[in-house]
Amino acid sequence: TRIIAKNIINRKIDIAVVGGEIPIQLKKHLFVEDFVEDEFSLIISKSHPFSSKKKITKDDLYNLNFITLNSNSTIRKFIDNILRQNNIEVNQLKIIMQLNSIEGIKTAVSLGLGAAFVSSSAIEKETELQTIEIIKIDQIRITRRVSIISKPDSYKSKAFQFFSNELNKLKNNIEN
């Protein structure tokens, strides 16, 4: 997010959709518009012993084998931070595999190798095909705000205007 914001400020990029926190010193040079709220779901395979449960406790997390993004990932840091805020000892979770793609994580989970936190928007196909199960954690909801960012004083090309309009249509469809 930080790199993308800097590229917009330096006019290397016209518009972007970002999910991370935008540092205050960069935010003051940008036009930031809320886009959607993105929720992260805990996913497991259909064959997992917890698959019959709709909700688990915080303590149940310590009994799961986790497949995660690498520790430098913005998404991983975000999820770890939310878990810590909910009094979960992240360093005590059993991380058995770190991958560098969401697709790899979804495949590993569907094969029964472990559990993972994945954006709900990234698992629409798997949910529809019923290749994974989503389980809720009692009293925890992991969400982040996704924003559209651009430089307020830059020239808006036809391509920019078209893309911006399409994003606004998408936002309206999601909200309705």
Side-chain angles (χ1 to χ4, degrees), residues 6 8 25 35 44 47 51 61 68 74 79 81-82 89-90 96 102 105 109 116 118-119 121 139 143 153 173 175:
K6 285 180 181 177
I8 287 181
Q25 68 270 23
F35 184 49
I44 56 174
S47 61
S51 66
L61 293 175
T68 67
T74 305
I79 291 169
N81 189 41
I82 297 292
E89 299 293 330
V90 176
I96 60 160
I102 300 298
I105 289 172
V109 168
V118 180
S119 168
S121 61
Q139 298 179 346
T143 61
D153 58 352
N173 286 342
E175 290 174 347

Side-chain angles (χ1 to χ4, degrees), residues 67-70 73 97-106 108:
I67 301 163
T68 67
L69 290 169
N70 70 55
S73 157
M97 194 181 304
Q98 291 186 29
L99 301 173
N100 61 2
S101 79
I102 300 298
E103 288 301 316
I105 289 172
K106 294 188 303 185

Side-chain angles (χ1 to χ4, degrees), residues 24-171:
I24 303 230
Q25 68 270 23
L26 299 177
K27 202 173 197 176
K28 62 185 175 186
H29 300 287
L30 297 167
F31 175 68
V32 180
E33 179 183 2
D34 284 345
F35 184 49
V36 293
E37 183 177 80
D38 189 20
E39 181 171 5
F40 286 84
S41 297
L42 178 59
I43 61 170
I44 56 174
S45 71
K46 300 289 272 179
S47 61
H48 193 281
F50 285 173
S51 66
S52 61
K53 297 183 177 191
K54 290 295 173 209
K55 194 176 270 193
I56 61 172
T57 68
K58 293 177 189 180
D59 288 339
D60 287 330
L61 293 175
Y62 300 108
N63 298 318
L64 293 171
N65 293 323
F66 281 95
I67 301 163
T68 67
L69 290 169
N70 70 55
S71 57
N72 292 328
S73 157
T74 305
I75 292 172
R76 165 83 179 273
K77 289 176 183 175
F78 171 78
I79 291 169
D80 286 355
N81 189 41
I82 297 292
L83 294 174
R84 276 189 207 95
Q85 289 173 14
N86 283 278
N87 301 313
I88 294 168
E89 299 293 330
V90 176
N91 58 343
Q92 291 183 19
L93 296 176
K94 288 184 273 185
I95 297 173
I96 60 160
M97 194 181 304
Q98 291 186 29
L99 301 173
N100 61 2
S101 79
I102 300 298
E103 288 301 316
I105 289 172
K106 294 188 303 185
T107 300
V109 168
S110 68
L111 292 172
L113 300 177
F117 288 101
V118 180
S119 168
S120 296
S121 61
I123 55 171
E124 288 177 2
K125 178 181 77 174
E126 290 77 10
T127 304
E128 190 175 306
L129 296 173
Q130 299 181 348
T131 58
I132 52 134
E133 287 287 336
I134 297 172
I135 51 175
K136 302 285 184 193
I137 307 163
D138 193 34
Q139 298 179 346
I140 296 179
R141 188 165 178 253
I142 302 175
T143 61
R144 71 175 174 169
R145 177 82 14 226
V146 176
S147 303
I148 301 168
I149 60 173
S150 61
K151 186 138 175 71
D153 58 352
S154 67
Y155 169 75
K156 310 291 190 249
S157 67
K158 285 191 184 276
F160 174 97
Q161 291 172 5
F162 177 79
F163 187 65
S164 181
N165 287 339
E166 291 301 309
L167 287 174
N168 281 321
K169 285 181 197 173
L170 183 58
K171 177 182 175 181

